[in-house]
Amino acid sequence: MSEAMLESRLRLSGALVMLGIVIEIASLTWRHPTAFIVFVAGGGVFMAAGMFWFLYTIVSRGGE
């Protein structure tokens, strides 16, 4: 894997985590029961996807 590809994959994982954090912050300002669902389902999914993509990138990089 080239350095450019590694950097782009790490940027993608960082963007997914940041999007999850933004969704979670936005849902904290709501006063509605669905805010919890958006917090967990929306923000949690994007954060988990970013973390898993980061770990997958690190593991696949070490296999070369």
Side-chain angles (χ1 to χ4, degrees):
M1 179 183 320
S2 68
E3 293 296 321
M5 182 180 282
L6 176 66
E7 184 176 343
S8 67
R9 286 185 175 189
L10 291 176
R11 284 182 191 261
L12 176 63
S13 68
L16 288 172
V17 169
M18 287 177 55
L19 181 61
I21 290 172
V22 167
I23 291 171
E24 288 181 350
I25 289 172
S27 71
L28 286 175
T29 63
W30 296 352
R31 292 190 180 258
H32 197 272
T34 58
F36 177 73
I37 296 170
V38 172
F39 183 87
V40 173
V45 166
F46 278 105
M47 288 191 61
M51 288 185 264
F52 286 127
W53 187 252
F54 175 78
L55 292 174
Y56 173 75
T57 300
I58 297 296
V59 169
S60 65
R61 172 72 176 170
E64 283 186 20

